[in-house]
Amino acid sequence: MNGPEVIALGEVMLRFDPGEGRIRTARTFQVWEGGGEYNVVRGLRRCFGRRTAVVTALADNAVGHLVEDLILQGGVDTSLIRWVADAGIGRTARNGLNFVERGYGIRGALGVSDRAHTAVSQLGKGDMDWDAVFSTGVRWFHTGGIFAGLSDTTVDVADEAMAAARRHDVTVSYDPNYRASLWADRGGAEGAREVDLRLARHADVVMGALGLTGGYAGQARVEAHEMADTLAGLADLLPQAKVLATTLRDVPSAGVNTWSSAAWSAGTGLVTGPRMPGLHVLDRVGSGDGFAAGLIHGLLDGAGLERALAYGTAHGALTMTTPGDVSMASLAEVEALMAGGSAHVRR
């Protein structure tokens, strides 16, 4: 059997979803799996049919095996999961939980993470044989700032993995994906930007590239007429990067967004994705990861940057129409939306 084409490095948590309700008053939750880096390979597997795997760590208990079961249902290879002995009540290693409510109208989405001291946050340099991982025909490796933000050691693991991928001529992508909660006691937004710039220098493709502009993570607000110069300027900081990509979103309400994207490469200059005004949103969590999955699929297919950007934009949009972090879209639905399809009933 052929090995994976695409591998991601990141944490996979259980997401507890109160549906239309609030976390603080919920009596029942729907349980999904999710994680910024994992969501990308999950989308690549289920929507785009690519062989994928995730490198992560889980505490070896019933909760960890629930996460594993959900990953298996998503079709992602679990052979690279590192299992850590369960110490009874999670004093030394545990599995991450993420409580997320979707928001509605004027009330934005809310996430409450419970992920300190997780098994994956304790991964260190030398724990994985990256040369062995990348010697099996892998074409693409993806990681990001959420994994790097878990601990000081995960920054080093990401650095080690990305450098190994480059040695094996594997295309590398990185998504800063800034989360203030991960950096609150570790240097804040300035610390996150320092780490992101260190790791993004290994990347061929940078997702969420606007997150690397400004004096600290999340500072920059770039107008449309500034986009080309901003991304071209960022390329000077990241000479290794061949593609800089970003989603573009206006949020008049939690349930209605304007959604688009842009990307830059030396060969094309600025390319813009399809613009989708008035996009109705059921659950926006994971839409950026859906965008990354579609973009990677298009680039792996050699589709050209403009079409790859359209794959990402359409897939990210469809990810927002279903609950949970992960994509439930089919390739046929993505390509129909790219071709200008509508929401008419199909019988």
Side-chain angles (χ1 to χ4, degrees):
M1 181 178 177
N2 292 326
E5 286 182 276
V6 185
I7 291 177
L9 167 65
E11 181 165 39
V12 189
M13 298 184 291
L14 286 180
R15 172 178 168 179
F16 286 76
D17 178 358
E20 297 177 353
R22 304 295 308 272
I23 295 167
R24 64 174 67 184
T25 56
R27 297 298 178 267
T28 60
F29 292 91
Q30 177 80 40
V31 179
W32 315 94
E33 88 281 22
E37 297 84 9
Y38 162 79
N39 295 339
V40 176
V41 289
R42 209 286 195 171
L44 280 162
R45 175 65 187 90
R46 294 300 273 178
C47 179
F48 297 103
R50 295 191 177 275
R51 301 182 310 277
T52 65
V54 62
V55 177
T56 193
L58 296 169
D60 191 0
N61 57 29
V63 176
H65 287 284
L66 171 57
V67 178
E68 178 194 34
D69 188 65
L70 291 164
I71 295 170
L72 287 167
Q73 290 179 52
V76 176
D77 187 330
T78 60
S79 63
L80 297 175
I81 293 176
R82 183 180 175 88
W83 292 95
V84 177
D86 175 27
I89 60 170
R91 282 195 182 95
T92 56
R94 53 187 291 269
N95 299 300
L97 308 178
N98 193 22
F99 296 81
V100 182
E101 57 186 51
R102 302 174 198 167
Y104 184 82
I106 59 170
R107 175 173 58 85
L110 173 67
V112 181
S113 295
D114 180 17
R115 65 196 304 181
H117 312 297
T118 55
V120 71
S121 73
Q122 297 172 50
L123 280 179
K125 287 183 71 174
D127 284 346
M128 296 295 300
D129 184 348
W130 292 108
D131 287 319
V133 169
F134 293 125
S135 64
T136 58
V138 179
R139 298 179 63 191
W140 196 292
F141 175 69
H142 178 74
T143 193
I146 295 180
F147 174 75
L150 296 176
S151 70
D152 291 338
T153 63
T154 56
V155 176
D156 293 334
V157 172
D159 199 324
E160 175 188 46
M162 295 169 84
R166 297 211 62 83
R167 287 197 304 273
H168 288 267
D169 296 321
V170 173
T171 301
V172 176
S173 58
Y174 183 82
D175 188 338
N177 241 340
Y178 174 64
R179 299 289 184 271
S181 59
L182 293 176
W183 293 94
D185 60 351
R186 297 183 54 235
E190 293 85 355
R193 186 175 188 275
E194 182 180 338
V195 165
D196 284 332
L197 286 173
R198 170 187 163 188
L199 296 177
R201 289 189 176 99
H202 291 295
D204 300 287
V205 178
V206 179
M207 314 290 182
L210 292 183
L212 297 178
T213 58
Y216 57 85
Q219 178 195 31
R221 296 292 180 268
V222 179
E223 300 297 329
H225 69 275
E226 303 171 316
M227 191 67 62
D229 289 343
T230 299
L231 293 179
L234 184 57
D236 293 336
L237 285 177
L238 305 172
Q240 183 63 51
K242 299 179 179 65
V243 174
L244 302 171
T246 187
T247 59
L248 302 172
R249 184 198 305 265
D250 292 322
V251 187
S253 82
V256 180
N257 291 185
T258 294
W259 173 253
S260 188
S261 61
W264 180 95
S265 74
T268 64
L270 183 71
V271 177
T272 55
R275 188 171 183 271
M276 300 182 186
L279 180 68
H280 286 262
V281 175
L282 177 64
D283 186 341
R284 66 172 277 177
V285 178
S287 54
D289 307 323
F291 167 78
L295 182 69
I296 290 170
H297 168 71
L299 293 175
L300 281 171
D301 252 10
L305 185 55
E306 185 172 5
R307 185 161 177 81
L309 200 59
Y311 270 117
T313 309
H315 188 233
L318 288 166
T319 300
M320 288 187 271
T321 67
T322 54
D325 289 28
V326 298
S327 166
M328 299 182 188
S330 69
L331 180 56
E333 289 170 334
V334 169
E335 292 184 334
L337 184 57
M338 291 166 63
S342 72
H344 290 303
V345 176
R346 292 189 302 275
R347 301 182 192 273

